[in-house]
Amino acid sequence: MQLQEDYQQYQNRPKTNYSLNKILSCFSKLLILFCYVLISLILYSFIFDTAMQYHLVYQNYFLTIIILLIGLMLGFHVIINYTFAICFSPGTTKEFFTSIQNDTENSENQWEIGGNANLRYLKFNYIPKYDANTSDNQENLDQSSLGFCDYCQLPKPKRTHHCSICNKCILKMDHHCPWINNCVGHQNHRYFILFLTYVFLGTSFITLLNLNIIFSSNFQDCKNQRSQLFSTLWITELVLCWMMASFGGWNWYLILKGLTTIEFMNRDRKTIDQYEEIIENLKQVFGNFKYLCQILLPSFRALPSNGVIWSMVNKDLEKINIGVD
């Protein structure tokens, strides 16, 4: 059968050499190690330099405990969200689509190819792995909304893009981040933006305390007790604070507008004012929440859309460039 022959030809074709991707992956792992070491050093300096100097100067246990609790809480959120962004899958088409090699297998779930030329080679099962919060998303998948990825040889839903580094199609892909050795996509976007947010809050908090130590005359007597690490890290923390304010602020802006970085760069400028409500945009990233403050907590709340079906999204996605890469 021709369908089977085409599939076998694809399976038997020479495999691409991904040596460059392996090098980039190794480099990303070094970046991850560097980040964990830097976070650890900042927390160490915060405890034994910053908090200790405040305790020595003001001799106030309550103030020292409050400073430590706030700093360690922010540090915890930095570490946990960074780890989640690394470990959680951004959502890929391979998690939702499986190829059917036997036309008689699972006949009830097989797709009708119809007039979609992109699906002429293979048939697929659609497996709604992630349940949505509402029953409206239990509708059937609209085949006409799908593209096709020649690299993955799988259907390509709206807002999905192929990552040449991960060699996967990522659902609602924002970008590939070497600092997490992973793509930022539909399933881990919340952890990435919370990581940026808490890095900004944490470095801002420590920087304010450190600037007071450096420029206030009250701390001059403790100057000789500062470690060399303190002298280096307070500048690093100031730079990180500024960088996260810029980069994190930009990412929050995109989330509030209901866009990814790719969509913003490729969108039709005429559709600039056509967005959803801000709360709905936040729910697309953080899941359903009752109180706004809940979005700042790491969570496993289900998202309104599963990344394949976007029936709950009111925005006119047809006006965003979601074509095949």
Side-chain angles (χ1 to χ4, degrees):
M1 186 175 181
Q2 186 63 38
L3 180 65
Q4 298 294 336
E5 292 177 0
D6 290 337
Y7 184 82
Q8 289 300 326
Q9 289 177 5
Y10 163 72
Q11 291 291 91
N12 296 330
R13 70 177 183 176
K15 300 299 181 182
T16 306
N17 185 1
Y18 296 109
S19 58
L20 178 60
N21 289 353
K22 291 180 179 179
I23 294 174
L24 293 175
S25 178
C26 291
F27 178 69
S28 291
K29 291 176 182 178
L30 291 177
L31 291 179
I32 292 173
L33 178 61
F34 170 78
C35 284
Y36 277 118
V37 171
L38 180 60
I39 293 170
S40 300
L41 290 176
I42 290 175
L43 288 176
Y44 176 87
S45 178
F46 165 72
I47 295 172
F48 294 101
D49 283 319
T50 305
M52 185 62 66
Q53 290 188 64
Y54 271 85
H55 177 67
L56 292 175
V57 169
Y58 295 106
Q59 296 293 318
N60 189 324
Y61 284 97
F62 180 75
L63 175 63
T64 304
I65 292 173
I66 292 298
I67 290 175
L68 285 172
L69 285 178
I70 294 176
L72 293 177
M73 181 191 68
L74 294 174
F76 167 79
H77 281 284
V78 168
I79 294 173
I80 197 70
N81 283 294
Y82 185 55
T83 303
F84 284 171
I86 294 170
C87 299
F88 276 58
S89 169
T92 67
T93 53
K94 292 181 180 179
E95 298 171 6
F96 286 88
F97 298 99
T98 58
S99 61
I100 301 176
Q101 298 185 40
N102 186 350
D103 283 347
T104 62
E105 179 185 1
N106 299 327
S107 58
E108 293 182 359
N109 295 327
Q110 288 185 20
W111 293 1
E112 294 297 332
I113 296 178
N116 193 338
N118 287 329
L119 303 180
R120 63 186 181 276
Y121 295 114
L122 297 171
K123 289 186 177 182
F124 300 91
N125 273 331
Y126 166 61
I127 307 173
K129 181 178 179 181
Y130 301 106
D131 293 332
N133 287 335
T134 60
S135 59
D136 294 339
N137 276 336
Q138 303 302 321
E139 63 185 70
N140 294 328
L141 177 65
D142 180 11
Q143 298 178 44
S144 64
S145 66
L146 297 173
F148 191 81
C149 179
D150 293 328
Y151 298 101
C152 297
Q153 291 291 299
L154 288 172
K156 193 173 183 181
K158 292 180 178 181
R159 314 188 79 181
T160 299
H161 296 268
H162 184 84
C163 176
S164 59
I165 299 177
C166 296
N167 196 34
K168 299 176 183 177
C169 277
I170 307 299
L171 302 176
K172 206 187 80 169
M173 179 178 176
D174 188 87
H175 68 285
H176 181 88
C177 180
W179 295 94
I180 64 174
N181 193 30
N182 200 1
C183 280
V184 177
H186 185 60
Q187 296 295 331
N188 66 347
H189 198 171
R190 73 180 88 180
Y191 306 119
F192 179 76
I193 188 63
L194 287 179
F195 166 66
L196 298 181
T197 301
Y198 279 107
V199 169
F200 167 72
L201 294 176
T203 53
S204 297
F205 176 69
I206 298 176
T207 298
L208 290 174
L209 295 176
N210 289 343
L211 289 177
N212 185 42
I213 291 175
I214 294 170
F215 295 106
S216 175
S217 58
N218 296 331
F219 293 87
Q220 291 302 313
D221 294 338
C222 300
K223 186 175 182 179
N224 294 331
Q225 299 184 28
R226 302 172 193 169
S227 67
Q228 294 182 350
L229 190 63
F230 175 85
S231 303
T232 303
L233 286 181
W234 83 266
I235 300 176
T236 303
E237 292 156 2
L238 182 62
V239 173
L240 280 174
C241 178
W242 179 83
M243 291 177 61
M244 291 302 103
S246 303
F247 185 59
W250 167 250
N251 277 269
W252 273 107
Y253 168 79
L254 291 178
I255 288 176
L256 295 177
K257 292 297 185 182
L259 295 171
T260 65
T261 300
I262 294 176
E263 291 169 349
F264 179 86
M265 298 300 294
N266 295 340
R267 66 194 175 126
D268 184 350
R269 298 294 177 178
K270 296 180 180 179
T271 63
I272 188 170
D273 294 324
Q274 297 188 11
Y275 301 111
E276 303 175 46
E277 296 294 331
I278 288 178
I279 295 298
E280 294 302 316
N281 289 333
L282 288 173
K283 288 180 179 180
Q284 288 297 323
V285 174
F286 298 100
N288 288 333
F289 52 85
K290 185 176 181 181
Y291 303 105
L292 193 60
C293 60
Q294 288 180 286
I295 67 176
L296 294 177
L297 301 175
S299 70
F300 304 101
R301 290 186 297 269
L303 301 172
S305 300
N306 64 4
V308 176
I309 297 177
W310 293 94
S311 60
M312 295 300 293
V313 181
N314 298 323
K315 179 176 24 179
D316 186 5
L317 292 175
E318 299 298 333
K319 295 185 180 180
I320 297 177
N321 184 356
I322 51 176
V324 177
D325 294 331

